[in-house]
Amino acid sequence: MDPRVSQKPEKATEEDKKKRRHKQRTKRTITRAVTHIRLIEANPGKLAALDQMMAVYLPICQRYVILFCTAETPPDKYGDPVFESELSNRLHRVAMQQAAGIAKSWRTNRENAYQAYLEDVADYVQAKAKAEAEDRMSAFKRTEPTWNEWHVPVLRVPVIQANANVVVVEQSKDSTFDYWLRVSTLDKGTPLRVPVKLASYHKQVLKERTINTSTTLHKRNGVWWLTLSCDEDVPLQTEPSAPVVGVDVGIAHFITTSTNKEYGSFHGKMARQHKRDREKRRRKAKLRACLEKKGASADKLPSTSSASGQRLSRHVKQEINRAVNELITDHPDARLIYEDLNVASMRFKARSMNAYLYASNLAHIPEQLAWAAGQRGMAAHTVWAAYSSQECPRCHFVDRANRPNQKTFKCVVCGYEDHADHKAAVTLAGRWGDRELAACRDKREVKALLLKRHDVWKQQQQQRIECADPPVQLSFWDPPEAFWDPSQVLNSSRMRELHRVPVVHPADESAVG
Ligand SMILES: [Zn+2]
């Protein structure tokens, strides 16, 4: 077997694990990417060889993406190759690894979205049954959730995520170039050598650092680009006693903290820009469909990609970065707790909200948080986000009904009320160090645990009321209106029974049972 084909790594030993844990306690490793290195110094003949390789590489990678996305079992990047190819074994393995990476994140996102859909269905069925039982179907307006199967990713941009088995970065010996890339091609045994010249800002980042062995090559607008990266260890600055600050990610404000501060927003100018852009794209798509019907050739059709859309997306990212920086400036000594945000499963009632969600690049927020905190040696941890917007911080009751609208949290059991985003941030902060919760394997287990805690709360309430039971002097005791039924002749035991009923919000009857 070729020793330079990637092999499955050996399992980490106890010793390795111990070392890793120690490092996690004292340091943060951040990876800096050095992007936009143009490979323009190479002669056209060399780059043509790269094009030829990519012409074989990309279709193979795509076939594996389809295979890995649709297979029953999770992708195995070290499995036996299943497709015939002109590629060398090493390139073939790299294609499989790249495809497995794409398929893995696609499968996770799809699965999360599907679980969210199943929950929606269960919630809908329950609500419908309740409406039927109470004979108010005429007022039941909810539509049954539907599932649209996801498309398997299509690789459009020629890109190879390479390792040292197929692309090697060599320090240049003369001063004309900074590095040479040695790239495997279809012509086995004669690798391609491509010169690399760095800009001064590239050199600044790489100064005195070791370049990682993984590299990325991609082609856009007829130009080949190289991405390099290097790791940096940053000593952890956060004290063990640092205040814990929960961070909720949302639409109204990009970030809301448990310290009751808000940063960044998609509303205002950006939302207007987004709306204009959406209308423009819709018009273009209509025109396209119309021209296609008339048989116009493909190259005459208006493009569906939108420059203003890309501009907006960049703008949103800048705003997010600014919001994250402000958050960190305001909480320099804190330990940040945020949600492992799963955009696919975030649901919004309004349809237009989904477009907002997409445009606002919410997923960029946790990435930026992790990066900005890591760079400063700040502790930042993710916790289970499931039901963080629905759980009551006082009684742990979990239900959609606790969110009468996007802005408000109001527990239907104990009446606890707060601004929804602030409450979610407080809940996230509280989940840090919660081992029982961290041990849950899926959302269902999270919900079961929270409802178990709610039961404990209910029992405690009951005991508290019992303890507070005054000596039996029934004649002085005035039962609350809600439990007073004058038609019943109450004997003392019945009275006491009533007395023990925990005080619940009147609207909650169904939720408790
Ligand atoms: Zn409550």
Side-chain angles (χ1 to χ4, degrees):
M1 195 185 280
D2 186 343
R4 293 184 58 185
V5 175
S6 303
Q7 309 291 323
K8 192 171 183 153
E10 309 247 329
K11 262 213 160 124
T13 61
E14 273 310 306
E15 188 71 12
D16 292 338
K17 283 184 191 161
K18 219 170 134 188
K19 266 190 202 157
R20 205 177 305 155
R21 275 199 298 271
H22 176 73
K23 195 178 161 201
Q24 275 173 356
R25 275 199 298 272
T26 54
K27 288 189 186 100
R28 284 280 175 276
T29 303
I30 58 163
T31 304
R32 290 180 189 276
V34 184
T35 57
H36 297 101
I37 306 171
R38 275 176 85 151
L39 301 179
I40 45 171
E41 306 287 340
N43 67 53
K46 284 189 175 183
L47 295 181
L50 205 53
D51 287 335
Q52 276 166 17
M53 186 267 277
M54 191 46 83
V56 180
Y57 181 88
L58 203 64
I60 279 287
C61 194
Q62 177 71 68
R63 288 178 77 181
Y64 278 107
V65 167
I66 296 169
L67 177 75
F68 289 154
C69 285
T70 50
E72 300 249 307
T73 51
D76 178 9
K77 59 184 177 183
Y78 298 110
D80 290 329
V82 290
F83 300 121
E84 288 284 326
S85 160
E86 272 182 76
L87 294 175
S88 67
N89 290 342
R90 283 185 256 153
L91 275 169
H92 197 131
R93 178 62 63 196
V94 168
M96 283 177 77
Q97 288 174 318
Q98 184 171 335
I102 295 166
K104 211 175 146 197
S105 63
W106 182 86
R107 286 171 74 114
T108 310
N109 290 338
R110 184 211 164 268
E111 183 55 25
N112 286 335
Y114 189 68
Q115 287 306 324
Y117 157 76
L118 291 183
E119 269 168 48
D120 259 1
V121 170
D123 195 71
Y124 168 84
V125 169
Q126 207 182 358
K128 194 179 165 195
K130 197 176 153 202
E132 264 166 0
E134 291 167 8
D135 201 22
R136 47 177 181 80
M137 276 308 280
S138 55
F140 188 74
K141 291 279 184 287
R142 278 173 68 172
T143 45
E144 191 169 356
T146 52
W147 173 254
N148 297 322
E149 193 46 81
W150 284 29
H151 297 293
V152 170
V154 178
L155 309 177
R156 289 203 177 86
V157 178
V159 54
I160 170 166
Q161 283 164 353
N163 57 28
N165 293 338
V166 293
V167 175
V168 182
V169 187
E170 291 173 341
Q171 194 83 44
S172 175
K173 293 203 174 66
D174 61 66
S175 57
T176 323
F177 303 113
D178 298 289
Y179 297 99
W180 284 90
L181 282 188
R182 208 175 66 217
V183 187
S184 298
T185 58
L186 298 179
D187 189 4
K188 279 163 210 159
T190 48
L192 188 67
R193 283 169 56 86
V194 182
V196 179
K197 209 170 163 57
L198 298 181
S200 57
Y201 55 90
H202 293 141
K203 287 181 191 167
Q204 193 63 36
V205 180
L206 290 169
K207 208 167 121 193
E208 285 162 33
R209 295 199 179 108
T210 316
I211 295 177
N212 291 343
T213 52
S214 55
T215 51
T216 304
L217 284 168
H218 76 276
K219 192 179 188 182
R220 211 180 263 279
N221 303 329
V223 180
W224 277 99
W225 301 84
L226 167 69
T227 303
L228 298 173
S229 65
C230 56
D231 284 349
E232 189 187 342
D233 282 340
V234 182
L236 200 57
Q237 307 284 346
T238 309
E239 300 288 336
S241 61
V244 172
V245 172
V247 177
D248 180 65
V249 168
I251 285 283
H253 294 280
F254 287 152
I255 289 171
T256 305
T257 64
S258 54
T259 52
N260 224 345
K261 291 194 168 164
E262 289 153 349
Y263 303 93
S265 172
F266 187 62
H267 294 318
K269 195 179 150 213
M270 253 194 288
R272 283 195 297 277
Q273 197 183 340
H274 167 65
K275 202 173 157 211
R276 269 203 307 276
D277 182 56
R278 225 157 63 103
E279 277 159 10
K280 197 170 154 191
R281 251 182 304 150
R282 224 178 259 162
R283 276 201 307 274
K284 261 190 183 176
K286 248 190 194 164
L287 182 62
R288 213 185 138 95
C290 186
L291 289 174
E292 262 173 343
K293 239 188 205 164
K294 289 183 180 156
S297 68
D299 55 332
K300 295 245 166 63
L301 298 175
S303 128
T304 45
S305 82
S306 118
S308 67
Q310 282 169 19
R311 213 163 38 236
L312 176 69
S313 170
R314 265 202 307 278
H315 187 181
V316 173
K317 281 193 175 174
Q318 281 164 6
E319 286 298 304
I320 287 173
N321 296 356
R322 205 172 59 174
V324 168
N325 286 341
E326 282 174 14
L327 158 77
I328 288 179
T329 310
D330 284 352
H331 306 85
D333 306 318
R335 182 181 297 279
L336 301 178
I337 310 300
Y338 60 105
E339 55 189 303
D340 210 351
L341 187 74
N342 159 15
V343 179
S345 70
M346 287 188 70
R347 286 149 295 159
F348 290 90
K349 280 178 190 157
R351 262 184 87 100
S352 64
M353 259 323 195
N354 282 320
Y356 264 33
L357 181 66
Y358 171 74
S360 65
N361 275 305
L362 283 193
H364 180 60
I365 300 177
E367 280 168 20
Q368 184 61 21
L369 257 176
W371 161 255
Q375 220 183 1
R376 292 165 176 83
M378 248 176 119
H381 316 266
T382 54
V383 290
W384 258 117
Y387 305 105
S388 63
S389 62
Q390 294 179 12
E391 183 193 353
C392 172
R394 183 154 64 199
C395 73
H396 305 291
F397 184 66
V398 177
D399 199 286
R400 234 189 198 200
N402 287 349
R403 292 288 302 278
N405 57 53
Q406 194 70 30
K407 269 189 205 150
T408 318
F409 179 90
K410 192 169 193 295
C411 179
V412 295
V413 177
C414 75
Y416 179 94
E417 203 172 341
D418 194 354
H419 186 279
D421 296 340
H422 173 250
K423 197 246 33 124
V426 171
T427 300
L428 290 171
R431 287 184 178 185
W432 186 65
D434 186 336
R435 278 159 193 261
E436 219 180 348
L437 190 86
C440 290
R441 279 162 305 176
D442 54 31
K443 283 183 82 173
R444 212 165 310 162
E445 287 189 15
V446 172
K447 189 166 189 178
L449 175 66
L450 297 178
L451 289 178
K452 201 174 87 190
R453 288 179 181 176
H454 175 66
D455 281 339
V456 171
W457 176 87
K458 266 199 299 195
Q459 279 163 19
Q460 281 168 352
Q461 283 303 100
Q462 217 154 320
Q463 276 162 10
R464 217 168 52 106
I465 293 167
E466 275 170 37
C467 291
D469 230 20
V472 187
Q473 283 183 319
L474 286 173
S475 53
F476 296 115
W477 182 66
D478 203 9
E481 290 283 331
F483 300 117
W484 182 245
D485 183 358
S487 67
Q488 280 190 32
V489 181
L490 298 173
N491 60 34
S492 68
S493 76
R494 169 84 180 120
M495 187 65 119
R496 278 227 272 171
E497 206 182 295
L498 280 176
H499 195 177
R500 276 196 205 106
V501 176
V503 180
V504 292
H505 193 272
D508 180 50
E509 237 77 52
S510 61
V512 173

